[in-house]
Amino acid sequence: MQKGLAAGALALVSAATCLILAPAASAAPDACVTVTLRTGGNEGVGTTVNKSSTSSCHDLNLVYAHDAAGDGYDAYAGRLYHSSTGSWKTCDAGYIGVLDGSYAVDRYVLCTDVSDGTKFTVASKYDSGDTVKIVH
């Protein structure tokens, strides 16, 4: 009986080890892309970036802000380029007030459901030239 139990336990341990060591399937990217850019002024255009087509993120998330004027605060808006009209439009979230610092993804969502390849920028409400990091 003890011999049977030992053999059964060994079989379970072996099976569990195989499950743990088996490679995980990965068809889709599981990471977002982060870019650092300079902001434009109110309703303006700063550094422009194209939304990543290899990222699993669909929104523009502000994860870091540094106000160049030294006030420690500004309001930021994501802006998307509409090639059909040749114009920049501020996303529905509008301007979001943010203190200087780092933030978790999804805390400050500047734009939602941005299509791959869309050109975007970030505008500062009170001044330009701030540094922001956007996860997209």
Side-chain angles (χ1 to χ4, degrees), residues 99-116:
L99 294 171
D100 286 358
S102 297
Y103 301 96
V105 172
D106 291 334
R107 179 161 180 193
Y108 296 115
V109 180
L110 301 182
C111 302
T112 57
D113 296 322
V114 179
S115 298
D116 292 349

Side-chain angles (χ1 to χ4, degrees), residues 7-21:
L10 180 61
L12 282 174
V13 169
S14 295
T17 301
C18 287
L19 285 175
I20 292 170
L21 296 177

Side-chain angles (χ1 to χ4, degrees), residues 5 8 15 26 30 41 56 68 72 101 103 121 133:
L5 287 174
S26 176
D30 58 7
S56 59
Y103 301 96
T121 190
K133 289 186 181 183

Side-chain angles (χ1 to χ4, degrees), residues 56-135:
S56 59
C57 293
H58 303 287
D59 302 333
L60 302 183
N61 304 280
L62 186 141
V63 296
Y64 172 83
H66 177 73
D67 180 44
D71 299 330
Y73 170 88
D74 208 331
Y76 301 100
R79 305 196 72 221
L80 304 178
Y81 182 72
H82 292 263
S83 56
S84 61
T85 61
S87 62
W88 289 90
K89 297 203 190 273
T90 300
C91 295
D92 290 341
Y95 284 86
I96 300 172
V98 178
L99 294 171
D100 286 358
S102 297
Y103 301 96
V105 172
D106 291 334
R107 179 161 180 193
Y108 296 115
V109 180
L110 301 182
C111 302
T112 57
D113 296 322
V114 179
S115 298
D116 292 349
T118 300
K119 189 179 287 193
F120 71 89
T121 190
V122 175
S124 298
K125 186 165 185 77
Y126 303 110
D127 54 44
S128 62
D130 296 351
T131 301
V132 294
K133 289 186 181 183
I134 303 296
V135 170

